[in-house]
Amino acid sequence: MRDLTVQIGSLRLTNPLIAASGCFGYGVEYAGAIDLSTLGGVAVKGLFLAERDGHAPPRIVETPAGMLNAIGLQGIGVHRFVAERLPELRRLGATVFVNICGSTIDEYCEVARVLSDAEGVAALELNISCPNIKEGGLQFGCSLTGTHDVVSAVRKVTSLPIIPKLTPNVTDVASFARASEEAGADAVSLVNTFLAMAIDVETRRPKLTNVLGGLSGPAIRPIAVRMVWECAQAVKLPVIGMGGIATTDDVVEFMLAGATAVQVGTANFVDPFIWTRLLSGLDTYLERHDIGRAADLVGALDLGHPEPA
Amino acid sequence: MRDLTVQIGSLRLTNPLIAASGCFGYGVEYAGAIDLSTLGGVAVKGLFLAERDGHAPPRIVETPAGMLNAIGLQGIGVHRFVAERLPELRRLGATVFVNICGSTIDEYCEVARVLSDAEGVAALELNISCPNIKEGGLQFGCSLTGTHDVVSAVRKVTSLPIIPKLTPNVTDVASFARASEEAGADAVSLVNTFLAMAIDVETRRPKLTNVLGGLSGPAIRPIAVRMVWECAQAVKLPVIGMGGIATTDDVVEFMLAGATAVQVGTANFVDPFIWTRLLSGLDTYLERHDIGRAADLVGALDLGHPEPA
Amino acid sequence: MIVDVSAEVLENVRLSPEFNVLSLAAPAVARLTRPGQFVMVRVRPGLDPLLRRPFSVFEILRDDAGQPRGISLLNKIAGVGTGWLYRAEPGTRVDVLGPLGQPFAPVDPPAEAWMVAGGVGLAPFATLAEALALRGTSMTLFYGARTAEALYRTDLFERLGARLSLSTDDGSRGAHGRITGPLEQALDALDGRPVTIYACGPTPMMRAVSALAAHRDAPVFVSLEPVMGCGMGGCYSCVVRVQAGERGRFVRSCLEGPVFDASTLVWEALPAGH
Amino acid sequence: MIVDVSAEVLENVRLSPEFNVLSLAAPAVARLTRPGQFVMVRVRPGLDPLLRRPFSVFEILRDDAGQPRGISLLNKIAGVGTGWLYRAEPGTRVDVLGPLGQPFAPVDPPAEAWMVAGGVGLAPFATLAEALALRGTSMTLFYGARTAEALYRTDLFERLGARLSLSTDDGSRGAHGRITGPLEQALDALDGRPVTIYACGPTPMMRAVSALAAHRDAPVFVSLEPVMGCGMGGCYSCVVRVQAGERGRFVRSCLEGPVFDASTLVWEALPAGH
Ligand SMILES: Cc1cc2nc3c(=O)[nH]c(=O)nc-3n(C[C@H](O)[C@H](O)[C@H](O)COP(=O)(O)OP(=O)(O)OC[C@H]3O[C@@H](n4cnc5c(N)ncnc54)[C@H](O)[C@@H]3O)c2cc1C
Ligand SMILES: Cc1cc2nc3c(=O)[nH]c(=O)nc-3n(C[C@H](O)[C@H](O)[C@H](O)COP(=O)(O)OP(=O)(O)OC[C@H]3O[C@@H](n4cnc5c(N)ncnc54)[C@H](O)[C@@H]3O)c2cc1C
Ligand SMILES: Cc1cc2nc3c(=O)[nH]c(=O)nc-3n(C[C@H](O)[C@H](O)[C@H](O)COP(=O)(O)O)c2cc1C
Ligand SMILES: Cc1cc2nc3c(=O)[nH]c(=O)nc-3n(C[C@H](O)[C@H](O)[C@H](O)COP(=O)(O)O)c2cc1C
Ligand code: FES
Ligand code: FES
C-alpha cells in the first residue's frame, strides 16, 4: 500500500476518501458494510440544533445519471447526535466530520459549540449550501458576506477545523472559497447539489413534494471538477472535492484538479461496498504511475500545451 | 394532428420544436434526414462577423448522460452564411433562427444588421452564453449590465425578433431574463451549456484542448427545467427552453415549466430522426390528455398541494 | 450481514406480459434471508438507470440437498428497471445487495396466520409461508388480483399447506371484487380464534385490511413499498410516518421496515402508492 | 440517403480477446453502402453511453440470391462501446445509422490499387476490394499487425484476387517490422506502373505512407478515424486540418471524409491517434 494519507489543515486523514454528508446516514448504518476506521472520514447527515422532520415524501427522484433529493434535513438534532451516535462512531474508530446547519448565525455557532465540547469530532463542515430548505443554507451560501459572516462567527467559537461547504449554484464559486479563506476556514468542500426540478408529465405535478431538489451523481461530475479546479487555484486552503464520484478514475480526476480529499455521496447508495474498491483502485493507480503518495496527485493536472492526444 | 403552433413574439411557429444552435450545423446538413419545414425552427450554428477557425481537437468528450464541447464557434461568418447557406434554407422552407456572436457590442450589431438585410431570417438568437471562447459570450452573459447593453444595442439595429440566449452559469438566471426583457428582447432562450471540464487520468491532461468545455445532454435536464421555470415566472416574455431534451416527456416537462417552445441539441446527435418521433409523440400526448393546443401546456405545472403521489 | 453478489440469471419465467419470476444464483443472499426481507437490485451495469431497485425475496431456491443456491424475484413491470428484469435472459448478471430490512415475525400456533396479498404484493409471502409451515402454524392466503390469470403461483402456497381464499375484480376466479370482502367474512367467522394478519399490496388495500382488523383486535403487519434510494439507511428517502407525540415522526422504512405493525403507522401520511 | 435501423445481431465471431466481427441484419444500410463508408452505432439503449460510435462497414452480407441482407463490423475493443459490441449476443439489437461519409473512389485499370492496413484499419478495405474486383483492378493488400494471430480475415481479400503483403512486429508472419517496409520496397520496384494507394491505420502509419508515396507521385487516400460526435455534420467535433491559405482550415471529416486525399491534409495538426 502506498502512502494514502492527506492533510486537511491540522487534520491528518489516513486516506482521501470521505463519505459525503446526507449519503451515509450517521455512519453507524454502514458499519456492517465497511470498517469505518478505514475511511479517511465520515461526514454525517446535516444537523441543526433541534430535531427536524424533513420534507414529506417523495423525497428523491432518479434522473439521467443522477438523482434529485429534497430530504429537508430530517435529523435528530445535535444533542441527540452527541448522546446517541457519537459514542458509537468513536468506538468504530471513525474520523467524524459533522455537517452543521443553522437558520441563523447564532444557531450555527450554538451547534458548533456543542460539538466542540463533545468528544470524537474531527472537523465541522458548515453546510451553507443546502438547496432544499427555506431557512439557512443557500441564504448564506449564495452571498459572499453571508458566507464570510457565518464562517467568522463559527471560527470564534470553535478550535475544530471548519470547512464551509460551498454551493455550485453561483456565478463564481472561487470567490466563495476566497471569502471562506479570509474568514478563517481551514478548508472548503464542494460541491453541494445543483438546484433542480422534475415534473411528472402525467399528473403535471412536481415529482418532489418540495418542488425543488438538489441534483447529485455522475451527471454533475464535469461541472464539479471544473469548480474544484477554480477553487484550488483561488485559495491556499485545502479543497475537498465531490460531485458524482463513482470510480477510482473519478477520485484521481478530482485530486488532479486540486482536491486534497474527496467525498462520495450518491455512488454509495448504488454500491455501499464502493470504499474498498476505491481504496485499492487508488493504490493500484499510484503504483501503475509510480507515484509515491496520494498527496502528490493534488493539483497535478498538466496544462502544458496538450500534445496532440 | 392537434394544434401544435406556438407564438414567440410576432413569430408563429408551426410547432414548438427547434433544432438547437451548434447541434444542427447550418441546417442543410440534416435536409436528408428531416424535412426542415416540418420543424418549428432551425437555430443555426453561432456566427461571428468573420470566419472563425475554432479550437484544435479534441473538441468533445462524452460524460455520464452528457457531453462536453469546446468547438470554439468554428464558422463561416455571417456574410458567407447569407450568401451560401441562407438561400438553401429558404428553399427548404426552414424557419431560421440565427445564433449570433460578437467580441464586442459593435460586432453583435453589425452581424444583426447584415442578417436583417438578408431574406429568410426569422429571428436572431443572441449568444451571450458560450462558455468556450475568451471574447464575447460569457463576458456579456454573466453580467446584468453586459446583457442589458448587448440586447438594447441590437434592439436598435433590427426589427427581427431578438432572443438572448442565457447562460446557466449564474446565481440567479431569472434576473438575466428580466434584464433582457427590460432591454427590449422578444423572448429568451435557455440554457446554454454548463462550464465544465474533464481530465484524462492516464495522461493527467485535460481531455479537451481548450481545457474547459460546455456540458450538455440529459445530465443537465433537471437543472435546466428549474431555470426555465424560474425565468417563466420572472418575465412576461416567451421562454424557449432547452437542456437535455431527448423524449416527448422531456418536451412536455419543459413546456409545463413554462417554455413556449423548446430546442433539442445533443439528442439530435444520437438520433437525427428524433424530430418526427417528438412531433408525433407530442400529438399523442395532447390527445391522451385531451388538450386542444400545445400552447395550453405552457406553464401548466400544477403546484397545488401535490396529492400524496 | 449484508452481501453484494453479482448474480447470474438462472431462469426467467414470464407469467404474463407484465409479470415474471426471475431466478438468480445468489447462495449467500439466499442463506441469510429471513421472511419478508428485500434486496436492492442493480438491473444492469452502467449509469442508466443509476439507482438500485428494491425487491422482496420471493422464493429461496434450494439444490437437491436442500442447500440454498439462490433466490427468485416476482417482478412486475412498472418502468425501466422492472422492464429490464422482465426481459433479462439467462446468463446475464444483476447485482443483488441484501438481505435488507426487518423481516416478518412468523406467529406460532395456536394463532393462525393470514396473509393478504394484492397483485405483486404476493412477493414477500412465499418466504413467510415457509417459516409458518416449519412452525406448524395454520395459514390462509387471501389473494386478490384483476383476473384469474393474474393470480400467480398459488401452487407454492398450497404445497406448504396454506388454505387459499381468492378474489378477482372480474369474478373470473374466487370471490367477485376486492380481497377485503372474503377477509371481512373470515374475520366475522373467527369466533374468538387468535389470528395474526400479514398484508402486502396497494396502500389503500393495506389500509383497509388494517381498519378491518383493528375492529377485531387482530394484529396486522404490513409490508410497505415506498421509493427507496439506498435500502441501507443512508439517504432518508424512504420514510413513512409512525405515531409519536402529536404529529408523529418519519422513520426509514428500509431500516425500521419494510414490515410495520399497521397500528403504529400514520396512514394519512402514506403516499397513495403506485 | 441515410437510414437508421434497429439491427439484430446475427452473429458474433470473436477473432481474439480484442477483435470480433459482428454481423448485423441491416439490409437497407447494406444496399446503400459504398466502399469505405461508415455507420454510427448506438451500442445499447439508454443514456450510458450516450453517443453513437463510428464504425467502417466491413463486409456487405448477402443472401444466397446475392441480395444485401446486412453488414458486418470489424470491432476492436477500445473502451465501453466497443466492449459492448465485443460481448453482444446474437438476438440483441443495436441501432445503425448510415451509410455516412465520402467513399473511396476505386481506381480503374490499368492503374493498380494498393491497400495499406494497420490493425483494425483493415475494416474499410473489404468493401473497397469488392469494388476493385468488379472493375478488374489489380490489387495488393499491405497489412501489418503485431503478430501472425492478429492478421485477420486475409481470406476475404485473397478470394477477391488481392495479392497479400504482410508484416508483423514480431516477424511471426510476413515481413518483420512495420508494413511501411514492404510498401517501400514495392514502391521502389514499381518501375513506372501507375498505382493508387489507400491507407487506414494509426495516424503515424498513414502519415508515413503518405510521405513514402509523395516521393513517387503515387496518389494516397487515407481513411481517418477522429472522434465523432454525430457523423452527420452537426457538431463540428471531427475536424481535421486541410491545406488552404497560410494556416489551412478545419473541415468536418464526417462530411468531407473520412476518406481524404493525403496530400491535402495538414498532418502536423492531426491528433496522433489512439
Ligand atoms: C421493500 C420493497 C419491496 C418490493 N418488492 C417488489 C417485488 O417483489 N416485485 C416487484 O415487482 N416490485 C417490488 N417493489 C416495487 C419495485 O421496487 C418498483 O416497482 C421498482 O423500483 C420500479 O422501478 P422501475 O425502474 O421499473 O420504475 P421507474 O422507471 O423507476 O418508475 C416507473 C414508475 O414506478 C414508480 N415507482 C418507483 N419506485 C417504486 C416503488 N418502490 N414501488 C412502486 N412503484 C415505484 C415510479 O414512481 C414511476 O411511476 C418493491 C418495493 C419495495 C420498496
Ligand atoms: C470513420 C471511423 C471509422 C471507424 N471504424 C472502426 C472500425 O471499423 N472498427 C473499430 O473497432 N473501430 C473503428 N473506429 C474507431 C471507433 O469508433 C472507436 O474505437 C470507438 O468509438 C471507441 O468507443 P468506445 O466506447 O469503445 O471507447 P470510449 O470508452 O469512448 O473511449 C476509450 C478510448 O477510445 C478512444 N476513442 C474515442 N473515440 C475514438 C475514435 N473515434 N477512434 C479511436 N479511438 C477513440 C478514447 O479517446 C478513449 O481513449 C472508427 C472511427 C471512425 C471515426
Ligand atoms: C440524499 C442526499 C442527502 C444529502 N444531504 C446532505 C446534507 O445533509 N448536508 C450536506 O452538506 N450535503 C448533503 N447532500 C449533498 C452531498 O453531500 C454531496 O455534496 C452531493 O450529493 C454531491 O456528491 P455526489 O454526487 O457524490 O452525491 C446530500 C445529497 C444527497 C443525494
Ligand atoms: C457541440 C455543441 C455546439 C454548440 N454550439 C452552440 C452555438 O454555436 N451557439 C449556441 O448558442 N449554443 C451552442 N450550443 C449549446 C446548445 O445550443 C444548447 O444550448 C445546449 O447544448 C443544451 O441543449 P442540449 O442538452 O439539448 O444539447 C452547442 C452545444 C453543443 C453540444
Ligand atoms: S432507502 Fe435510503 S434510507 Fe431508506
Ligand atoms: S461528427 Fe459531428 S460534425 Fe462530424
Side-chain angles (χ1 to χ4, degrees):
Chain A
M1 203 79 172
R2 306 257 152 170
D3 176 4
L4 298 185
T5 60
V6 294
Q7 192 83 27
I8 303 287
S10 58
L11 196 62
R12 187 159 201 85
L13 306 181
T14 51
N15 64 64
L17 300 185
I18 303 169
S21 177
C23 304
F24 209 66
Y26 294 109
V28 293
E29 291 86 343
Y30 285 86
I34 165 93
D35 174 353
L36 300 187
S37 73
T38 62
L39 296 184
V42 170
V44 299
K45 173 112 199 99
L47 287 169
F48 282 83
L49 198 54
E51 297 189 28
R52 269 178 77 95
D53 212 32
H55 296 313
R59 289 176 165 187
I60 63 165
V61 46
E62 197 178 35
T63 67
M67 65 180 282
L68 304 188
N69 89 80
I71 307 299
L73 287 166
Q74 175 176 350
I76 57 176
V78 71
H79 293 292
R80 280 187 58 199
F81 171 75
V82 169
E84 300 171 18
R85 298 292 193 280
L86 200 49
E88 177 72 358
L89 285 168
R90 285 180 61 198
R91 203 185 56 74
L92 294 165
T95 300
V96 180
F97 289 63
V98 183
N99 185 268
I100 72 175
C101 312
S103 305
T104 61
I105 294 189
D106 284 349
E107 185 172 5
Y108 279 101
C109 290
E110 186 53 26
V111 175
R113 257 188 232 107
V114 174
L115 290 164
S116 307
D117 293 344
E119 202 104 3
V121 176
L124 302 181
E125 185 175 52
L126 264 56
N127 184 352
I128 50 172
S129 44
C130 179
N132 301 324
I133 52 165
K134 286 195 193 70
E135 350 69 63
L138 284 187
Q139 156 199 340
F140 299 109
C142 282
S143 137
L144 286 172
T145 44
T147 298
H148 191 278
D149 291 350
V150 177
V151 176
S152 37
V154 175
R155 178 71 297 162
K156 293 202 185 81
V157 302
T158 186
S159 57
L160 287 172
I162 58 182
I163 310 168
K165 182 162 175 183
L166 307 181
T167 175
N169 299 292
V170 294
T171 311
D172 178 18
V173 70
S175 62
F176 289 82
R178 258 183 252 112
S180 302
E181 182 166 51
E182 282 159 19
D186 298 278
V188 293
S189 65
L190 69 156
V191 299
N192 208 316
T193 54
F194 289 79
L195 197 58
M197 81 190 280
I199 300 171
D200 183 324
V201 299
E202 295 305 318
T203 63
R204 277 176 260 164
R205 294 201 167 113
K207 286 189 178 172
L208 296 171
T209 307
N210 189 51
V211 183
L212 297 178
L215 180 64
S216 65
I220 66 170
R221 198 182 68 232
I223 319 179
V225 170
R226 183 264 295 178
M227 290 185 167
V228 164
W229 182 62
E230 288 176 347
C231 288
Q233 288 169 293
V235 295
K236 295 210 185 65
L237 299 183
V239 174
I240 301 178
M242 78 197 86
I245 294 176
T247 68
T248 302
D249 282 1
D250 303 342
V251 172
V252 175
E253 184 176 24
F254 272 89
M255 295 186 75
L256 293 173
T260 298
V262 300
Q263 296 187 12
V264 179
T266 303
N268 175 67
F269 297 154
V270 182
D271 180 6
F273 292 95
I274 195 171
W275 307 98
T276 39
R277 270 223 311 285
L278 294 181
L279 279 172
S280 73
L282 186 56
D283 190 47
T284 310
Y285 177 90
L286 293 174
E287 195 176 317
R288 193 171 68 243
H289 288 267
D290 199 20
I291 298 173
R293 301 156 359 110
D296 293 339
L297 291 173
V298 180
L301 173 66
D302 176 4
L303 283 178
H305 181 65
E307 157 193 299
Chain B
M1 204 75 174
R2 306 258 150 167
D3 176 4
L4 298 185
T5 60
V6 294
Q7 193 83 26
I8 302 286
S10 59
L11 195 62
R12 188 161 202 83
L13 306 182
T14 52
N15 63 64
L17 300 185
I18 304 168
S21 177
C23 303
F24 209 66
Y26 294 109
V28 293
E29 291 87 343
Y30 284 86
I34 166 92
D35 173 354
L36 299 187
S37 72
T38 62
L39 296 184
V42 171
V44 299
K45 173 111 200 100
L47 287 168
F48 283 82
L49 199 54
E51 297 189 28
R52 268 177 77 95
D53 212 31
H55 297 313
R59 289 175 166 190
I60 63 165
V61 45
E62 198 178 35
T63 68
M67 64 180 282
L68 304 188
N69 88 80
I71 308 299
L73 287 165
Q74 174 176 352
I76 58 176
V78 70
H79 293 291
R80 281 187 57 200
F81 171 76
V82 168
E84 299 172 20
R85 297 293 193 282
L86 200 49
E88 177 73 358
L89 285 168
R90 285 182 60 199
R91 203 185 55 74
L92 294 164
T95 301
V96 180
F97 289 63
V98 184
N99 185 268
I100 72 174
C101 312
S103 305
T104 61
I105 293 189
D106 284 350
E107 185 172 4
Y108 278 102
C109 290
E110 186 53 27
V111 176
R113 257 188 233 107
V114 174
L115 291 165
S116 308
D117 293 344
E119 203 103 4
V121 176
L124 302 181
E125 183 174 54
L126 266 56
N127 184 352
I128 50 171
S129 45
C130 179
N132 302 324
I133 53 165
K134 286 196 193 67
E135 350 68 63
L138 283 188
Q139 156 198 344
F140 299 111
C142 283
S143 135
L144 286 172
T145 43
T147 299
H148 190 279
D149 292 351
V150 177
V151 176
S152 40
V154 175
R155 177 72 296 163
K156 293 204 184 78
V157 302
T158 186
S159 57
L160 287 173
I162 56 182
I163 308 170
K165 182 163 176 182
L166 307 181
T167 175
N169 298 293
V170 294
T171 311
D172 179 19
V173 70
S175 62
F176 289 83
R178 259 182 252 114
S180 302
E181 182 167 52
E182 282 158 19
D186 298 277
V188 293
S189 65
L190 71 154
V191 298
N192 209 317
T193 53
F194 289 78
L195 196 58
M197 81 189 279
I199 301 170
D200 184 322
V201 299
E202 294 306 317
T203 63
R204 275 174 261 165
R205 295 202 167 114
K207 286 190 178 173
L208 297 170
T209 306
N210 188 52
V211 184
L212 297 178
L215 179 64
S216 64
I220 66 170
R221 198 183 69 231
I223 320 180
V225 170
R226 184 263 297 179
M227 290 184 166
V228 164
W229 182 62
E230 288 176 347
C231 287
Q233 288 170 294
V235 296
K236 295 211 184 62
L237 298 182
V239 174
I240 301 178
M242 77 197 86
I245 293 177
T247 68
T248 301
D249 282 1
D250 302 343
V251 171
V252 175
E253 185 176 24
F254 272 90
M255 295 186 76
L256 292 173
T260 299
V262 299
Q263 296 188 11
V264 179
T266 303
N268 175 68
F269 297 154
V270 182
D271 180 7
F273 293 96
I274 194 171
W275 307 98
T276 38
R277 270 223 312 284
L278 293 182
L279 278 173
S280 73
L282 186 57
D283 191 47
T284 309
Y285 176 89
L286 293 173
E287 198 176 315
R288 193 170 70 244
H289 288 267
D290 199 22
I291 299 173
R293 301 155 359 110
D296 293 338
L297 291 174
V298 180
L301 173 66
D302 175 4
L303 282 179
H305 180 66
E307 155 195 300
Chain C
M1 203 175 100
I2 295 163
V3 295
D4 184 21
V5 298
S6 165
E8 193 181 327
V9 174
L10 299 172
E11 198 186 9
N12 182 352
V13 180
R14 293 174 185 105
L15 305 169
S16 74
E18 228 185 1
F19 278 83
N20 67 312
V21 174
L22 200 69
S23 299
L24 301 169
V29 177
R31 263 192 298 276
L32 294 163
T33 300
R34 288 151 69 203
Q37 285 193 296
F38 69 98
V39 290
M40 293 291 288
V41 178
R42 190 175 189 179
V43 300
R44 60 167 182 165
L47 301 172
D48 180 29
L50 180 66
L51 299 173
R52 293 182 186 240
R53 306 300 198 241
F55 289 90
S56 300
V57 172
F58 183 43
E59 298 155 287
I60 306 289
L61 308 174
R62 296 203 163 76
D63 62 18
D64 295 339
Q67 288 304 308
R69 63 186 179 97
I71 61 170
S72 76
L73 309 178
L74 177 65
N75 177 59
K76 179 186 179 186
I77 297 182
V80 45
T82 47
W84 271 91
L85 292 184
Y86 184 84
R87 292 186 304 273
E89 293 297 336
T92 57
R93 283 170 179 276
V94 298
D95 291 337
V96 178
L97 176 75
L100 301 165
Q102 300 304 321
F104 284 122
V107 69
D108 286 307
E112 281 178 43
W114 292 2
M115 296 171 281
V116 189
V120 72
L122 183 71
F125 290 133
T127 50
L128 176 60
E130 270 201 1
L132 291 166
L134 279 178
R135 282 159 201 264
T137 306
S138 151
M139 53 181 156
T140 307
L141 174 68
F142 294 84
Y143 181 17
R146 263 172 289 164
T147 63
E149 294 73 43
L151 288 167
Y152 304 111
R153 300 305 312 271
T154 47
D155 59 309
L156 264 183
F157 293 86
E158 287 185 282
R159 204 185 310 140
L160 291 166
R163 268 178 308 273
L164 298 185
S165 174
L166 307 176
S167 81
T168 50
D169 293 354
D170 66 355
S172 54
R173 187 171 171 203
H176 197 294
R178 298 297 162 86
I179 194 62
T180 38
L183 180 70
E184 187 163 14
Q185 288 176 7
L187 280 166
D188 286 339
L190 255 184
D191 213 9
R193 279 175 295 137
V195 64
T196 291
I197 298 178
Y198 305 90
C200 186
T203 306
M205 176 209 108
M206 290 192 283
R207 190 172 177 180
V209 170
S210 166
L212 285 177
H215 290 195
R216 280 90 171 175
D217 280 334
V220 178
F221 296 92
V222 294
S223 181
L224 302 180
E225 301 195 346
V227 169
M228 287 185 175
C230 72
M232 297 273 296
C235 73
Y236 282 79
S237 67
C238 60
V239 294
V240 297
R241 219 162 177 78
V242 297
Q243 292 169 14
E246 252 177 54
R247 302 186 43 229
R249 64 190 172 84
F250 282 129
V251 301
R252 288 166 286 181
S253 56
C254 65
L255 286 188
E256 308 202 12
V259 173
F260 286 94
D261 178 338
S263 68
T264 65
L265 294 172
V266 180
W267 284 97
E268 300 71 40
L270 270 185
H274 307 276
Chain D
M1 202 174 100
I2 295 163
V3 295
D4 183 20
V5 297
S6 165
E8 192 181 327
V9 174
L10 298 172
E11 197 185 10
N12 182 351
V13 180
R14 291 173 186 107
L15 304 169
S16 74
E18 228 184 2
F19 278 82
N20 66 314
V21 174
L22 199 70
S23 299
L24 301 169
V29 177
R31 264 192 299 276
L32 295 162
T33 300
R34 287 152 69 204
Q37 283 191 297
F38 70 98
V39 290
M40 293 292 287
V41 178
R42 191 175 190 180
V43 299
R44 60 167 182 165
L47 302 172
D48 179 29
L50 181 67
L51 300 173
R52 291 182 188 243
R53 305 299 197 245
F55 289 90
S56 300
V57 172
F58 183 45
E59 299 155 287
I60 306 289
L61 308 175
R62 297 203 163 74
D63 61 20
D64 295 341
Q67 288 304 308
R69 62 184 180 99
I71 62 170
S72 75
L73 310 178
L74 178 64
N75 177 59
K76 179 187 177 186
I77 297 182
V80 44
T82 47
W84 271 91
L85 293 184
Y86 183 84
R87 291 185 305 272
E89 293 298 335
T92 57
R93 284 171 178 277
V94 297
D95 291 339
V96 178
L97 176 75
L100 300 166
Q102 301 303 322
F104 285 121
V107 70
D108 286 307
E112 281 178 43
W114 292 1
M115 296 170 283
V116 189
V120 71
L122 182 72
F125 290 133
T127 50
L128 177 61
E130 270 203 2
L132 290 166
L134 281 177
R135 283 157 202 266
T137 307
S138 150
M139 54 181 154
T140 306
L141 174 68
F142 294 83
Y143 181 18
R146 263 171 290 162
T147 63
E149 294 72 43
L151 289 166
Y152 305 111
R153 301 303 315 269
T154 47
D155 59 310
L156 264 182
F157 294 85
E158 287 185 281
R159 204 184 311 139
L160 291 165
R163 265 178 309 276
L164 298 184
S165 175
L166 306 176
S167 80
T168 49
D169 293 354
D170 66 354
S172 54
R173 188 171 169 202
H176 197 295
R178 299 296 162 86
I179 193 61
T180 37
L183 180 70
E184 187 163 14
Q185 288 175 8
L187 279 166
D188 287 340
L190 255 183
D191 214 10
R193 280 175 295 138
V195 64
T196 293
I197 299 179
Y198 306 91
C200 186
T203 306
M205 177 208 108
M206 291 192 284
R207 191 174 176 179
V209 170
S210 167
L212 285 177
H215 291 196
R216 280 90 172 176
D217 279 335
V220 178
F221 296 91
V222 293
S223 181
L224 302 180
E225 302 196 346
V227 169
M228 288 187 174
C230 72
M232 297 274 295
C235 72
Y236 281 79
S237 67
C238 61
V239 293
V240 297
R241 216 160 180 83
V242 297
Q243 291 169 15
E246 252 178 55
R247 303 185 43 229
R249 63 189 172 87
F250 283 129
V251 300
R252 288 166 287 181
S253 55
C254 65
L255 286 187
E256 308 201 13
V259 173
F260 287 93
D261 178 337
S263 68
T264 66
L265 293 171
V266 181
W267 285 97
E268 300 71 39
L270 269 186
H274 307 277

